Amino acid sequence: MSNGEEFRDLSPIFEPKSVALIGASNNPLKWGWVILSNILSHGYIGSVYPINPKEDNILGLKTYKTIFEISEEIDLAIVVRPAESVPQHIEECVEKEVKSAIVLAGGFRETGKEGEVLEKEVVEIAHKGKLLIVGPNTMGVYSAPASLLAIMSPISVVKGEVSLISMSGNIGVNLLSMGSTENVGFNKFVSIGNQADITLEEYLKFFGDDPETKIILIYIEGLRQGKKFMEVAEKITEKKPVIVLKAGRSTAGAKAARSHSGALAGSNMIYDAVFKQSGVIKVSTINGMLELAKAFIHLPLPKGKRVGIVSWGGGYGVVAADACEEAGLDIPNIQEKTIQELDNILPPYWNRGNPVDLVGTLDRSIQPKSLETIVKDENIDAIIASGFLIGGSGIKFASPDTLKKGVTITERGVTIDEKGISMEVLAQKWMRSSDEQNMNKINELVEKYQKPIIAVTLTSDTKAIPKAWEKNTVVYPTLEVAAEVLAKMYEYKQYLEKKKNNKDSVI
């Protein structure tokens, strides 16, 4: 957009067939070594050319003195050199007809007037050869299709369907890393830095058109082209969710944003209006981006805002109801036929309403049966299931007694034949087995009834959540997160329906 074209093809950045690393190093404490190591260890599918005038070989690769020694075409150059030397390297890239470049160095517009002049010079040189510039002041890019991890941190990334645009390199890279433990896989990532050349809106358009990207996450501190952002986002949100964390909401945060990325934070009310009108989903925390992304990946959108709550204890049902109402969701009455069916499953003293209190019975076979009864209720659009996944490591018995013979738990179809194990271990195995059956049931019901079901662990067992993620069961540690996620999903569903109705009325 800076060179007069509205939207350019960013494929040379995210699907390069060849990469030159200007400033490659044999010193593991330098970014030129870390980035090259990342590229090689993550199995980049193209050709890699390290450039360093003082080295012959880096990490087993032939090293070139200058970019002109490379006879092949270069799609992407990564410049790991100080700010003052960047104009010269960009000039060489233009002469070599390189298609794109990532400029990692800081020391440009974010530092003041002198840096702004230097940044402008770099862009003017790049535009002589239509060279695409990522940054400067960036931590790099990631692309699953190319198996390219060209960033400044030694991390592991899980491939998936989420693409991320971030004004903060550290936050972006941390989100990539967190994805490997949060069951969120990434397709593409860019730390946009100062946006001297390629703007946020261009990345958004490129990811929006990318068929391999199903969800877009954005971390911003401010917008330079609010109108353009709205125009691009409004077209994309009809096809896929766009989730934004807007930082710099406070006076102190806005001041920090100016010194960090040079962004003008602006009025929160204005940003809220921009996001709402363009269908962008706003979250308030970094973790909230991944939490919501998980739900969009694995769950259908709720058809309405009526939530059924099934809780392995009455108190948690009350808390869940509060959380849902505070998030703008409804807790409807369940149908009489649902109550009658639950009468045949639960003890006679159950509360006979929504939330459904499973009264803490140790017979966990009632959990999946009760859950399906609620899911198929026509008054219910979405479900929060509390206490269905609890793990087993938190179970402690005072008695060290061991079993002298095997035990069969017929209610859950579980047979434990080991002799000489403690009752504590037996209980832990039983709980984990029940959890697994509940996970399978939740996934089955989501598929069968096309209603979102969110499990809440309420447990100290740190292994319970990762185990559920392995099965793609959506689970959160708190009721408040579950309610907020369902509210955001319903908000997006309303936006899509409004857009459709508007189009139908025009026709």
Side-chain angles (χ1 to χ4, degrees):
M1 284 154 68
S2 300
N3 66 353
E5 298 177 40
E6 187 173 23
F7 295 109
R8 295 166 287 177
D9 180 13
L10 305 186
S11 297
I13 299 165
F14 296 100
E15 298 178 31
K17 295 181 175 62
S18 54
V19 173
L21 183 59
I22 301 171
S25 174
N26 261 323
N27 184 346
L29 298 180
K30 289 186 175 293
W31 299 124
W33 186 92
V34 174
I35 294 170
L36 183 58
S37 175
N38 279 342
I39 292 172
L40 297 178
S41 64
H42 281 74
Y44 169 60
I45 60 178
S47 303
V48 184
Y49 303 100
I51 298 175
N52 186 317
K54 299 178 181 180
E55 301 286 354
D56 296 321
N57 184 288
I58 300 176
L59 288 175
L61 293 179
K62 175 185 176 181
T63 302
Y64 299 82
K65 306 302 180 185
T66 71
I67 199 167
F68 299 113
E69 289 186 6
I70 303 168
S71 58
E72 292 81 0
E73 289 186 355
I74 302 298
D75 286 336
L76 174 64
I78 304 172
V79 183
V80 196
R81 299 284 294 139
E84 60 271 17
S85 67
V86 170
Q88 175 192 337
H89 294 301
I90 296 302
E91 189 83 61
E92 292 170 352
C93 287
V94 168
E95 188 175 343
K96 174 65 178 171
E97 297 184 344
V98 175
K99 297 174 184 176
S100 64
I102 302 171
V103 179
L104 287 96
F108 292 90
R109 177 169 48 82
E110 79 281 3
T111 63
K113 191 64 179 177
E114 289 186 12
E116 186 177 353
V117 171
L118 183 61
E119 182 172 297
K120 185 177 180 181
E121 179 187 357
V122 169
V123 174
E124 287 176 349
I125 295 170
H127 287 172
K128 293 178 184 177
K130 294 187 176 181
L131 175 69
L132 297 162
I133 297 285
V134 179
N137 189 27
T138 172
M139 287 187 70
V141 305
Y142 166 75
S143 175
S147 296
L148 175 65
L149 185 67
I151 63 173
M152 296 166 63
S153 294
I155 65 169
S156 179
V157 185
V158 175
K159 294 182 179 182
E161 301 174 325
V162 178
S163 289
L164 169 63
I165 304 167
S166 181
M167 279 189 177
S168 165
N170 278 319
I171 287 177
V173 169
N174 285 340
L175 282 166
L176 287 185
S177 182
M178 288 164 62
S180 62
T181 58
E182 295 278 342
N183 195 34
V184 176
F186 288 89
N187 188 264
K188 295 178 179 68
F189 159 71
V190 59
S191 163
I192 62 178
N194 291 0
Q195 305 176 73
D197 177 36
I198 309 172
T199 65
L200 165 65
E201 292 73 25
E202 278 190 278
Y203 294 117
L204 180 57
K205 174 67 164 58
F206 184 76
F207 289 171
D209 291 340
D210 175 20
E212 295 178 306
T213 295
K214 306 301 182 186
I215 299 166
I216 301 173
L217 306 183
I218 309 176
Y219 168 84
I220 63 169
E221 294 171 359
L223 293 173
R224 298 181 195 168
Q225 304 180 76
K227 185 177 179 181
K228 177 61 70 177
F229 176 87
M230 286 179 64
E231 291 174 356
V232 176
E234 192 168 356
K235 294 176 182 178
I236 293 171
T237 54
E238 291 187 53
K239 302 181 290 183
K240 59 188 73 172
V242 177
I243 302 167
V244 170
L245 171 60
K246 164 66 176 69
R249 300 184 296 272
S250 66
T251 302
K255 181 179 178 181
R258 285 194 293 273
S259 62
H260 173 230
S261 61
L264 296 176
S267 164
N268 288 327
M269 292 179 63
I270 293 175
Y271 277 100
D272 287 347
V274 166
F275 296 151
K276 185 174 182 179
Q277 185 171 333
S278 54
V280 169
I281 307 162
K282 178 185 172 184
V283 296
S284 57
T285 66
I286 294 170
N287 284 351
M289 300 177 81
L290 296 181
E291 289 163 351
L292 192 52
K294 276 187 291 192
F296 276 116
I297 292 169
H298 299 298
L299 295 177
L301 292 176
K303 295 180 176 64
K305 61 177 181 176
R306 302 169 300 174
V307 180
I309 299 168
V310 187
S311 174
W312 199 22
Y316 285 115
V318 175
V319 173
D322 283 344
C324 287
E325 278 207 3
E326 288 165 3
L329 301 169
D330 294 337
I331 309 299
N333 293 326
I334 51 179
Q335 295 176 314
E336 183 60 33
K337 63 181 179 180
T338 300
I339 293 175
Q340 292 173 3
E341 190 169 338
L342 288 170
D343 281 338
N344 296 323
I345 301 171
L346 299 173
Y349 48 88
W350 80 283
N351 63 309
R352 306 186 87 244
N354 182 25
V356 176
D357 178 6
L358 301 184
V359 296
T361 175
L362 286 176
D363 179 5
R364 294 191 69 191
S365 67
I366 69 172
Q367 291 182 328
K369 298 174 186 175
S370 302
L371 183 61
E372 181 160 16
T373 304
I374 289 295
V375 173
K376 65 186 181 182
D377 190 304
E378 294 173 1
N379 287 352
I380 300 300
D381 301 310
I383 300 88
I384 293 176
S386 168
F388 277 57
L389 307 177
I390 61 175
S393 63
I395 297 174
K396 301 295 179 185
F397 286 173
S399 172
D401 292 346
T402 60
L403 299 172
K404 296 180 180 179
K405 60 181 180 178
V407 174
T408 299
I409 305 174
T410 55
E411 295 158 315
R412 300 296 287 175
V414 177
T415 302
I416 299 176
D417 292 323
E418 296 99 324
K419 297 179 181 179
I421 65 172
S422 69
M423 285 299 295
E424 183 177 291
V425 172
L426 172 64
Q428 289 173 355
K429 288 191 173 188
W430 171 60
M431 284 294 184
R432 293 190 185 110
S433 177
S434 298
D435 279 2
E436 184 156 353
Q437 291 187 44
N438 281 345
M439 286 183 259
N440 292 337
K441 189 64 175 181
I442 288 171
N443 293 346
E444 173 195 317
L445 295 176
V446 169
E447 181 66 26
K448 182 177 179 180
Y449 293 99
Q450 286 299 297
K451 294 182 182 181
I453 303 174
I454 294 179
V456 179
T457 56
L458 308 174
T459 178
S460 60
D461 189 342
T462 56
K463 296 179 181 178
I465 292 180
K467 185 66 177 177
W469 290 339
E470 288 176 13
K471 291 180 173 289
N472 293 327
T473 306
V474 176
V475 54
Y476 301 117
T478 71
L479 296 161
E480 291 78 8
V481 169
E484 185 66 21
V485 165
L486 284 177
K488 295 293 185 183
M489 294 181 77
Y490 175 63
E491 175 187 319
Y492 182 61
K493 173 70 173 177
Q494 283 183 300
Y495 174 78
L496 294 179
E497 288 178 348
K498 182 179 178 182
K499 293 289 289 185
K500 182 179 183 301
N501 292 336
N502 288 343
K503 284 185 177 181
D504 289 345
S505 63
V506 171
I507 295 173

